[in-house]
Amino acid sequence: MPFLIAAVVLVGLLCVLDLILSLGVVKRLREHTEMLNNLNGRASIGAGEEVGTFTAVTVDGLPVSRDLLTDETLVGFFSPGCPACKEQLPKFVEFARSMPGGRDRVLAAVVGDVQRTTDMVAVLNPVAHVVAEPAQGGAVGGAFQVAAFPSVLKVAANDSGRPVVTAARVDLDRRPSPAV
């Protein structure tokens, strides 16, 4: 009989230990989920935040800078190693085609190795001013604090003439309303 009581106590203690460990794992999974959601929710600077200073040259040799972002401008960041970028690229191109102001109101940055970015640049160039940047230290990506790809946002000048993000996430399935 004492052996049976000891076995029941041991099984009970093992169940309590298992419960404690399971709760620890669940807590850790929730923390990781929250971190991933925060990363997905904040791929770049947020709405209302001022765009950082930058100067760059497009693949066509045209200079671009923060000072040129006075009218509403669609800005997109893509990387060739990103499956979601390849999926969103056609939607971005269609959205950019319907932007009031056309190509002059669309800026795209393709981030990565020059040899790997060629295809994306070719697709984007007819509808956007395209800047090709390295994976680390790109001027445009740094100005927009890009943390994830793809990132698509809209920028316009505020009352003091400084460009701020007006939409931190752009729904590429909804076409912009035409200029009147």
Side-chain angles (χ1 to χ4, degrees), residues 6-68:
V8 169
V9 169
L10 180 63
V11 168
L13 288 174
L14 286 174
C15 288
V16 169
L17 178 64
D18 182 52
L19 180 64
I20 291 170
L21 291 174
S22 295
L23 289 174
V25 168
V26 168
K27 179 183 177 199
R28 191 74 170 152
L29 285 173
R30 285 184 180 157
E31 290 171 359
H32 281 223
T33 300
E34 185 177 325
M35 283 189 270
L36 287 173
N37 286 338
N38 288 340
L39 176 62
N40 290 335
R42 179 134 174 135
S44 65
I45 61 176
E49 292 184 60
E50 189 175 326
V51 176
T53 303
F54 71 90
T55 56
V57 177
T58 67
V59 294
D60 296 331
L62 300 172
V64 291
S65 69
R66 176 182 103 142
D67 299 333
L68 297 174

Side-chain angles (χ1 to χ4, degrees), residues 7 23 37 66 68 70 86-88 96 140 163:
L23 289 174
N37 286 338
R66 176 182 103 142
L68 297 174
T70 54
K86 291 176 184 170
E87 179 184 313
Q88 293 296 312
V140 182

Side-chain angles (χ1 to χ4, degrees), residues 39-44 77-79 82 85 145-152:
L39 176 62
N40 290 335
R42 179 134 174 135
S44 65
F77 294 89
F78 300 92
S79 179
C82 161
C85 294
Q145 302 171 22
V146 174
F149 298 99
S151 292
V152 180

Side-chain angles (χ1 to χ4, degrees), residues 49 54 68 88 93 97 99 107 125 128 134-135 154-155 163 168 171 176:
E49 292 184 60
F54 71 90
L68 297 174
Q88 293 296 312
V93 169
R97 274 196 184 105
M99 275 293 289
L107 175 64
N125 204 32
K154 285 187 180 177
V155 176
D171 182 0

Side-chain angles (χ1 to χ4, degrees), residues 89-121:
L89 190 62
K91 292 179 181 183
F92 180 85
V93 169
E94 284 304 310
F95 193 96
R97 274 196 184 105
S98 60
M99 275 293 289
R103 186 173 188 254
D104 289 335
R105 295 289 136 234
V106 182
L107 175 64
V110 181
V111 179
D113 182 48
V114 176
Q115 289 83 15
R116 294 184 64 212
T117 61
T118 307
D119 292 340
M120 279 187 168
V121 168

